[in-house]
Amino acid sequence: MTAYLECLRGIVLREWLRFVQQRSRFLSALVRPLLWLLVFAAGFRAALGIAIIEPYDTYITYETYIVPGLACMILLFNGMQGSLSMVYDREMGSMRVLLMSPLPRPFLLAAKLLATSLLSLLQVYAFLAIAWLYGVQPPAWGLLYALPALLLAALMLAALGLLLSNGIRQLENFAGVMNFVIFPLFFLSSALYPLWKMREASEWLYWLCALNPFSHAVELVRFALYERLSVTALLVCLGVTALCSLLAVLTFNPQHAALRRNA
């Protein structure tokens, strides 16, 4: 057990040191959601009044509605950025060094996912603090209640990123592949618009959003921030996390970069 804890501590510390040395990473993670909150939401406020929907007990402003989705946006981009670091580590050979450890590969990859997720939580709570000062103030206990929901959502998105990175053999291809993943996941979800508004626009668009696992991550966090539980969202997030984690472990091949260089 001591070896497992020491390994986990080392991986988390390595990710933390990398994060501290890349201060722009913290700022860039906040710029995107703050632009939506401070700029776009101001323009959409009049056009998109939000009616009473769960988990809210009254009519809400557009800013209040989108904060959970913007928090999950941070998790999404960080999860994909974590997969970029995985591709980079595989290119440089450091992942092969790590996997020389006698500890099981699933544990090593899970520790990597957990380290990425913990860093994401720091950035999410920094964003929620700014949103609180801006006037979007969920219940104080909801911020604590949302912690496990945010952690599960972060693990799900990090596992998805790891699974996708397993199919990327060249670092240069990463940006193009991620653009076909990040933006559809985010925009085809309930992060920016309620699903009932999507249904008013298009039935097939509604079903795409309803089946999107990112929508369930957003709703899990949204309900948790207001001290409620969405059982459906919880089950979907647990299932997708387990599936992506299993597939990521089975398909992970640290020799990809070596094979490409030899070729």
Side-chain angles (χ1 to χ4, degrees):
M1 182 60 69
T2 303
Y4 283 89
L5 292 177
E6 188 65 21
C7 178
L8 176 61
R9 187 191 69 84
I11 293 175
V12 172
L13 180 60
R14 180 176 183 270
E15 291 300 313
W16 169 255
L17 291 175
R18 175 184 287 180
F19 176 75
V20 169
Q21 292 169 2
Q22 299 172 347
R23 295 181 181 88
S24 59
R25 182 174 161 190
F26 177 77
L27 296 176
S28 64
L30 294 179
V31 166
R32 285 182 294 263
L34 287 176
L35 274 176
W36 275 100
L37 181 62
L38 303 179
V39 179
F40 291 99
F44 291 153
R45 184 187 302 138
L48 292 170
I50 305 298
I52 300 175
I53 56 174
E54 289 190 299
Y56 310 105
D57 296 323
T58 183
Y59 287 87
I60 58 172
T61 63
Y62 183 61
E63 291 94 330
T64 301
Y65 177 82
I66 64 172
V67 161
L70 297 179
C72 288
M73 173 199 280
I74 296 174
L75 302 179
L76 174 62
F77 277 85
N78 280 0
M80 297 304 116
Q81 192 167 17
S83 66
L84 170 61
S85 71
M86 185 68 76
V87 175
Y88 180 82
D89 287 346
R90 196 175 64 209
E91 288 276 329
M92 298 299 105
S94 56
M95 274 306 299
R96 292 198 299 278
V97 173
L98 176 64
L99 292 174
M100 289 174 63
S101 165
L103 298 178
R105 177 179 293 182
F107 173 79
L108 297 173
L109 295 178
K112 171 74 173 177
L113 295 180
L114 180 60
T116 301
S117 301
L118 291 176
L119 290 177
S120 297
L121 293 183
L122 291 176
Q123 296 170 76
V124 167
Y125 275 98
F127 167 72
L128 291 176
I130 297 173
W132 183 280
L133 296 175
Y134 184 67
V136 180
Q137 300 177 345
W141 281 109
L143 296 174
L144 182 60
Y145 197 81
L147 180 59
L150 286 165
L151 181 58
L152 176 58
L155 288 171
M156 182 187 81
L157 296 169
L160 176 60
L162 176 58
L163 176 61
L164 293 172
S165 73
N166 289 344
I168 301 174
R169 300 200 176 194
Q170 298 183 34
L171 191 61
E172 297 81 5
N173 295 338
F174 180 85
V177 173
M178 288 300 104
N179 283 336
F180 286 99
V181 176
I182 293 176
F183 292 109
L185 278 177
F186 180 69
F187 287 107
L188 291 175
S189 74
S190 60
L192 300 179
Y193 314 103
L195 291 183
W196 63 267
K197 279 191 174 291
M198 292 291 191
R199 192 164 220 165
E200 287 182 352
S202 169
E203 187 71 20
W204 65 266
L205 187 61
Y206 162 79
W207 282 109
L208 282 177
C209 296
L211 295 174
N212 182 355
F214 185 71
S215 288
H216 294 280
V218 171
E219 294 308 307
L220 181 66
V221 173
R222 188 189 311 282
F223 275 70
L225 280 172
Y226 290 86
E227 303 177 40
R228 298 187 184 182
L229 175 64
S230 172
V231 176
T232 301
L234 175 62
L235 294 176
V236 170
C237 288
L238 286 172
V240 173
T241 302
L243 179 62
C244 289
S245 299
L246 177 62
L247 293 177
V249 170
L250 293 176
T251 58
F252 183 78
N253 184 2
Q255 301 300 323
H256 276 170
L259 293 173
R260 185 171 59 81
R261 282 196 294 268
N262 290 337

